[in-house]
Amino acid sequence: MIPLEEKLKRVLLHHTARTVATLVTHAAQNNLSHDAFLARLLDDELASRHDNRVKRLLQEAHFPAIKTIDTFDWSHPASIPKTLVLHMTNLDFVRNKNHLIFVGPGGVGKSHLAIALGFIACQQEYRTLFTTAADMINALVASQSDHSLGKALKRFTAPKLLIIDELGYLPLDKQGRDLFFQVISKRAEAGSMILTTNKAFKDWGEVFLDTAVASAIAERLIEHGELIKVEGGSYRVKKRR
């Protein structure tokens, strides 16, 4: 006769196979009905699967560090639309395939907020990817040399939420801006993006070294996007002081 634990493994209830003995004992001690026992068993299995999936999504997201909304210092920025940012934690913008653009000088917490929203997305089982603008362009440029551009583009266009950090810190040459434009165009209505930048839209010509391309990218983002301005001094400088 096949043991119960083995039967559970065969139907892919691996967590339940490890915990069924404890669940049976708990059910007997608390005089649970069959329905209550089954509900408890399935709830336990589903919770385990959710935890495992979230863990895997967090690894695949490649966050440089875990940041949360709870640990953000709202008192630091001189100006920030707190109510709007907190509203975004419901992730309606992800479900609606809209975009967020955090604009402000370095050190005001743009990256922290972007990662915090990405962390929430992973918790809700949305596939998420974090990258800096420079790293994304470098990866795409490298893929052209071995003819794997299509595969590389899919890496940045497939996730439900793509976070592009530090746009504007380095200007993009023609190859870089063409590749950036491809990513934005493919994702514009296919999935959500969060961008952080230290440049106002009017200055994006300095980033892309082409005002026409800069305008085209900005228009695609604004059409389905929300601009969030964060103002103030650098938090990193504040900590050093």
Side-chain angles (χ1 to χ4, degrees), residues 15-130:
H15 175 75
T16 301
R18 294 190 297 270
T19 62
V20 66
T22 301
L23 292 173
V24 168
T25 300
H26 177 269
Q29 291 174 343
N30 293 272
N31 197 29
L32 295 183
S33 66
H34 293 126
D35 288 347
F37 168 71
L38 182 59
R40 172 68 183 273
L41 182 147
L42 292 175
D43 286 344
D44 201 42
E45 178 69 30
L46 290 172
S48 176
R49 292 188 179 192
H50 170 74
D51 290 344
N52 290 336
R53 178 160 175 76
V54 168
K55 183 179 180 181
R56 183 170 67 253
L57 288 171
L58 288 172
Q59 292 174 338
E60 293 173 353
H62 296 294
F63 296 125
I66 297 299
K67 305 287 187 180
T68 66
I69 290 292
D70 293 340
T71 60
F72 185 75
D73 183 359
W74 296 100
S75 66
H76 172 68
S79 175
I80 184 171
K82 181 178 178 180
T83 301
L84 176 60
V85 174
L86 291 177
H87 176 70
M88 294 303 166
T89 61
N90 63 21
L91 299 189
D92 281 346
F93 77 96
V94 176
R95 286 181 281 273
N96 295 329
K97 300 177 182 178
N98 293 331
H99 318 302
L100 301 182
I101 305 97
F102 287 95
V103 181
V108 293
K110 304 184 302 297
S111 298
H112 184 133
L113 292 172
I115 293 172
L117 290 170
F119 178 76
I120 294 172
C122 290
Q123 294 286 335
Q124 296 194 21
E125 299 191 15
Y126 289 126
R127 186 181 171 194
T128 301
L129 178 64
F130 175 95

Side-chain angles (χ1 to χ4, degrees), residues 14 23 30 43 46 68 75 90 100 105 108 111 135 142 148 157 170 174 178 182 204-206 218 220:
H14 297 290
L23 292 173
N30 293 272
D43 286 344
L46 290 172
T68 66
S75 66
N90 63 21
L100 301 182
V108 293
S111 298
D135 285 346
S148 61
T157 57
L170 293 173
K174 184 181 186 305
D178 288 348
Q182 285 191 59
W204 277 23
E206 301 173 11
R220 280 168 170 74

Side-chain angles (χ1 to χ4, degrees), residues 52-240:
N52 290 336
R53 178 160 175 76
V54 168
K55 183 179 180 181
R56 183 170 67 253
L57 288 171
L58 288 172
Q59 292 174 338
E60 293 173 353
H62 296 294
F63 296 125
I66 297 299
K67 305 287 187 180
T68 66
I69 290 292
D70 293 340
T71 60
F72 185 75
D73 183 359
W74 296 100
S75 66
H76 172 68
S79 175
I80 184 171
K82 181 178 178 180
T83 301
L84 176 60
V85 174
L86 291 177
H87 176 70
M88 294 303 166
T89 61
N90 63 21
L91 299 189
D92 281 346
F93 77 96
V94 176
R95 286 181 281 273
N96 295 329
K97 300 177 182 178
N98 293 331
H99 318 302
L100 301 182
I101 305 97
F102 287 95
V103 181
V108 293
K110 304 184 302 297
S111 298
H112 184 133
L113 292 172
I115 293 172
L117 290 170
F119 178 76
I120 294 172
C122 290
Q123 294 286 335
Q124 296 194 21
E125 299 191 15
Y126 289 126
R127 186 181 171 194
T128 301
L129 178 64
F130 175 95
T131 181
T132 64
D135 285 346
M136 182 178 76
I137 296 303
N138 288 338
L140 293 173
V141 169
S143 72
Q144 290 183 313
S145 62
D146 61 7
H147 308 290
S148 61
L149 179 59
K151 181 179 179 181
L153 280 171
K154 187 175 181 181
R155 177 190 173 200
F156 297 106
T157 57
K160 187 73 173 177
L161 174 62
L162 175 66
I163 301 172
I164 304 176
D165 197 26
E166 298 180 349
L167 175 64
Y169 287 87
L170 293 173
L172 301 178
D173 60 14
K174 184 181 186 305
Q175 184 182 29
R177 63 176 174 264
D178 288 348
L179 291 168
F180 192 92
F181 184 77
Q182 285 191 59
V183 174
I184 297 300
S185 297
K186 290 179 180 295
R187 288 200 61 90
E189 297 183 5
S192 294
M193 289 178 285
I194 298 177
L195 279 81
T196 74
T197 178
N198 63 338
K199 299 287 188 181
F201 281 139
K202 64 182 180 64
D203 298 322
W204 277 23
E206 301 173 11
V207 179
F208 296 99
L209 304 179
D210 186 309
T211 54
V213 173
S215 296
I217 291 174
E219 287 172 3
R220 280 168 170 74
L221 293 171
I222 293 172
E223 184 179 5
H224 299 288
E226 185 78 49
L227 183 66
I228 300 176
K229 293 183 179 180
V230 187
E231 300 175 351
S234 172
Y235 188 75
R236 289 182 286 273
V237 172
K238 177 181 177 181
K239 286 179 67 177
R240 285 200 299 269

